[in-house]
Structures are given as structure tokens and as C-alpha cells.
């Protein structure tokens, strides 16, 4: 019984740690863009239509992502900051 409890606790910790290093979700992306200077380029309708196409790891806490906004593909870099995700337009 003790071994099963230890195995369950270990598996739970691994799942929690795996979530810490994952790429941003669509809701993370929307929130990051709403907090960034990029927001002025988008209407509220545009922000609501954001969809994640793909992301590639770009360092310890950074991802280069392609997002779809109102039918256009836009490259954006997302970095995990102390208060959540930050969005920066990729050139």
C-alpha cells in the first residue's frame, strides 16, 4: 500500500512539472496579446477570433508561435514571465 501511494504521489508531481514547461494555450495567447502593445492593432472581434496554429520551443521559457487572427497567419513570440505570458510581434 505504501509503495502504491509513493508511486501515485510521484506520478502526480511529474504531471504538475510537465505542465510548467508547456507552450501557451489559446487563452494564454489572448490574455498576453491583450496586455501587450500589440493590442492596438486588433479589434475586440479580432482578439476573440485568435486561434493557435503551431508553436516551437525557442529557449527556456519562450515559444515562437503562429496564430490565426481573422483569417491571417501572424508569427508571435511568447515568453513566460513572472506574471504570466508576454507577447512580442516577430519580425
Amino acid at each position: 500500500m505504501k509503495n502504491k501511494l509513493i508511486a501515485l504521489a510521484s506520478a502526480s508531481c511529474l504531471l504538475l512539472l510537465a505542465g510548467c514547461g508547456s507552450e501557451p494555450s489559446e487563452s494564454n495567447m489572448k490574455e498576453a496579446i491583450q496586455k501587450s502593445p500589440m493590442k492596438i492593432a486588433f479589434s475586440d472581434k479580432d482578439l476573440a477570433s485568435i486561434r493557435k496554429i503551431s508553436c516551437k520551443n525557442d529557449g527556456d521559457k519562450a515559444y515562437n508561435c503562429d496564430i490565426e487572427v481573422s483569417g491571417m497567419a501572424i508569427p508571435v513570440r511568447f515568453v513566460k514571465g513572472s506574471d504570466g505570458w508576454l507577447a512580442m510581434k516577430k519580425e
Side-chain angles (χ1 to χ4, degrees):
M1 178 68 176
K2 187 176 182 180
N3 288 340
K4 287 182 182 180
L5 186 58
I6 291 172
L8 181 61
S10 296
S12 297
C13 288
L14 286 175
L15 287 174
L16 288 172
L17 289 174
C20 292
S22 63
E23 63 190 40
S25 66
E26 278 185 13
S27 62
N28 295 141
M29 292 175 169
K30 289 176 185 179
E31 184 178 317
I33 290 172
Q34 288 175 339
K35 294 188 300 186
S36 79
M38 290 174 54
K39 181 183 178 185
I40 62 171
F42 300 108
S43 69
D44 289 338
K45 183 179 177 184
D46 289 336
L47 290 172
S49 75
I50 291 173
R51 299 287 175 256
K52 177 166 69 170
I53 298 171
S54 66
C55 289
K56 292 182 182 173
N57 190 300
D58 186 38
D60 188 26
K61 297 180 180 181
Y63 288 86
N64 289 324
C65 301
D66 291 323
I67 62 172
E68 180 183 346
V69 181
S70 298
M72 297 185 310
I74 300 173
V76 181
R77 187 166 195 260
F78 292 92
V79 178
K80 182 74 173 192
S82 59
D83 292 329
W85 289 97
L86 305 169
M88 295 175 272
K89 185 160 175 19
K90 263 189 77 107
E91 298 297 325

